[in-house]
Amino acid sequence: MLQDEGAPAHPAPSPAPWSEPVATALLVLADGTMLEGFGIGQTGVADGEVCFNTAMTGYQEILTDPSYAGQIVTFTFPHIGNVGTNDEDLESLEAAPASGVRGCVIAAAVTQPSNWRSSSHLDAWLKARGIVGITGVDTRALTALIRDHGMPNAVIANDPQGNFDREALKSRAAALAPMEGLDLVPPVTSRNRSEWSQTVWALKGGYGNRPAGSGHRVVAIDYGVKRNILRLLAEAGCDVTVVPATTSAEDILALKPDGVFLSNGPGDPAATGEYAVPVIRALLDAKVPTFGICLGHQLMGLALGGRTVKMPQGHHGANHPVKDKTTGKVEIVSMNHGFAVDPKSLPATAVETHVSLFDGSNCGLTLTDRPAFSVQHHPEASPGPRDSHYLFERFVALMREGKPETV
């Protein structure tokens, strides 16, 4: 057979058939559901309770919030990592990697950062902090699952070669202990007492510092405190001393505080309350002005004889409407909690001051017989952006009332 003059001597090879990319990460739920994706951050395996966060910004602050200890965070906003990471937007007291969030679940592949404050790519930053991540997941479907069935335990695995013992991962996920009964504060609390003077960040100026010895003496009990809470206390004119979660009431009172702050933190408040509640009760009985946020709010409720309950989905996001019943105003706040105070369990001396407009759950209380109040939400996170900053001034006013000579 004669070959056409213009035809090649050898026919071109047929194109290779289409092949799907190999999954390099898995999210395996306790019920055996397996979600495939692509690994980011630390390689290896981690486990925890899966929650979802609806915030559109602040992923670095979320991933360094000690309140997420023992959890895997699913971001509902698809574009995570697009502004990179930096050395300033950290919320845990320790800048080095520490026990906290176990993993993160992201929808879209992480792009190169585009922001003047960025100093590193999210992938490198996650590796440095030991956080296992997965991208390419249908986070809307995962969020709907959590909405309908509650926050599941899960295992997250990242292997660049895609080699997984899937049955072993399923067994590990199924065997995980529930969040109820877990005291997760010990890995995230301060090891030693320290002083805090840093104030809030300002454009071109960065973080400031206030002179020590010129304000209200506040002892902050660290159950997993966020840096920006301490900054706003300092900004409000407080000399802040941070103490570990297990510090005794006697040692706290020996510091002669004008006020005590009960911080946020992770885990089941009833478990942490085993050692925290007696201390808080002693401080309340001493009538030291006291202010609590998040876990601190829950622990105050327990110290008053109330109880806390596990929430199916929890509240995690920066778009939650909360009504201040003392003013009638609605605030847009940041939330991060999986337990809530049962208002019906509180004594008559504890008055509900704030309530969630999403589900009616308790978000704040004040005492009529002692100078103390607390809120479930995070006033320092500023999604409003300053809707709830007045709470720090309210704390200062409470201290000023108990100390007339204060300027």
Side-chain angles (χ1 to χ4, degrees):
M1 181 175 177
L2 296 176
Q3 181 177 326
D4 290 343
E5 204 172 298
H10 302 285
S14 299
W18 176 263
S19 58
E20 291 291 332
V22 175
T24 58
L26 298 176
L27 181 69
V28 184
L29 308 187
D31 66 358
T33 300
M34 188 172 296
L35 305 178
E36 295 185 342
F38 307 101
I40 186 174
Q42 180 66 39
T43 58
V45 181
D47 50 50
E49 179 185 71
V50 184
C51 65
F52 64 83
N53 188 296
T54 58
M56 296 176 68
T57 61
Y59 55 81
Q60 185 175 339
E61 291 89 339
I62 291 166
L63 291 170
T64 55
D65 181 352
S67 295
Y68 280 110
Q71 291 185 303
I72 298 169
V73 179
T74 300
F75 291 98
T76 62
F77 187 68
H79 304 297
I80 300 299
N82 53 345
V83 296
T85 62
N86 58 67
D87 296 329
E88 292 185 319
D89 296 343
L90 305 173
E91 284 294 355
S92 58
L93 279 185
E94 298 295 329
S99 297
V101 65
R102 299 285 176 82
C104 61
V105 182
I106 300 171
V110 178
T111 61
Q112 287 298 316
S114 178
N115 187 276
W116 66 274
R117 296 179 68 228
S118 175
S119 59
S120 64
H121 191 284
L122 179 64
D123 182 37
W125 184 87
L126 290 172
K127 283 185 173 74
R129 298 194 68 87
I131 300 173
V132 181
I134 181 173
T135 67
V137 171
D138 185 346
T139 53
R140 294 184 67 182
L142 180 56
T143 298
L145 184 149
I146 297 171
R147 179 196 63 198
D148 295 340
H149 302 288
M151 294 179 285
N153 282 334
V155 170
I156 185 170
N158 176 7
D159 183 295
Q161 306 306 315
N163 297 321
F164 301 106
D165 185 337
R166 299 185 178 224
E167 292 306 314
L169 294 175
K170 286 182 181 180
S171 297
R172 177 169 171 172
L176 291 174
M179 186 65 74
E180 292 96 324
L182 294 184
D183 175 21
L184 298 178
V185 168
V188 301
T189 187
S190 299
R191 298 293 174 262
N192 302 290
R193 193 174 82 191
S194 63
E195 306 300 318
W196 182 274
S197 61
Q198 189 179 79
T199 54
V200 298
W201 189 90
L203 186 64
K204 297 183 180 180
Y207 294 114
N209 273 284
R210 67 177 306 280
S214 60
H216 303 278
R217 295 188 299 275
V218 172
V219 173
I221 304 178
D222 178 13
Y223 303 115
V225 70
K226 293 172 65 178
R227 290 185 179 207
N228 214 44
I229 291 175
L230 300 177
R231 293 187 190 110
L232 284 173
L233 287 171
E235 190 81 12
C238 301
D239 294 329
V240 183
T241 300
V242 181
V243 300
T246 54
T247 305
S248 68
E250 291 76 16
D251 287 345
I252 293 172
L253 293 172
L255 296 172
K256 301 186 184 307
D258 298 319
V260 171
F261 173 73
L262 312 175
S263 87
N264 61 291
D268 185 344
T272 303
E274 292 293 326
Y275 54 86
V277 161
V279 174
I280 297 170
R281 281 179 179 158
L283 297 172
L284 293 175
D285 289 343
K287 297 194 175 180
V288 179
T290 303
F291 174 30
I293 287 177
C294 199
L295 178 60
H297 165 71
Q298 297 161 1
L299 291 172
M300 185 182 292
L302 292 173
L304 297 171
R307 70 184 187 98
T308 53
V309 295
K310 184 73 165 66
M311 306 174 76
Q313 304 91 8
H315 287 167
H316 309 277
N319 54 352
H320 288 247
V322 164
K323 184 175 182 178
D324 182 347
K325 296 168 74 172
T326 64
T327 64
K329 292 183 178 179
V330 175
E331 306 161 31
I332 301 302
V333 306
S334 176
M335 292 279 205
N336 178 20
H337 61 106
F339 292 81
V341 173
D342 178 2
K344 295 179 181 178
S345 68
L346 296 172
T349 53
V351 178
E352 184 175 69
T353 57
H354 295 75
V355 63
S356 167
L357 296 186
F358 275 161
D359 59 12
S361 60
N362 173 263
C363 290
L365 62 88
T366 190
L367 303 188
T368 59
D369 59 344
R370 282 164 286 184
F373 71 100
S374 60
V375 292
Q376 181 62 73
H377 51 284
H378 282 268
E380 83 290 342
S382 307
R386 296 179 176 84
D387 288 15
S388 303
H389 281 193
Y390 69 91
L391 291 165
F392 293 93
E393 295 300 330
R394 185 176 289 180
F395 181 41
V396 169
L398 204 60
M399 290 188 286
R400 188 178 293 120
E401 291 171 10
K403 185 184 175 186
E405 71 275 14
T406 300
V407 295

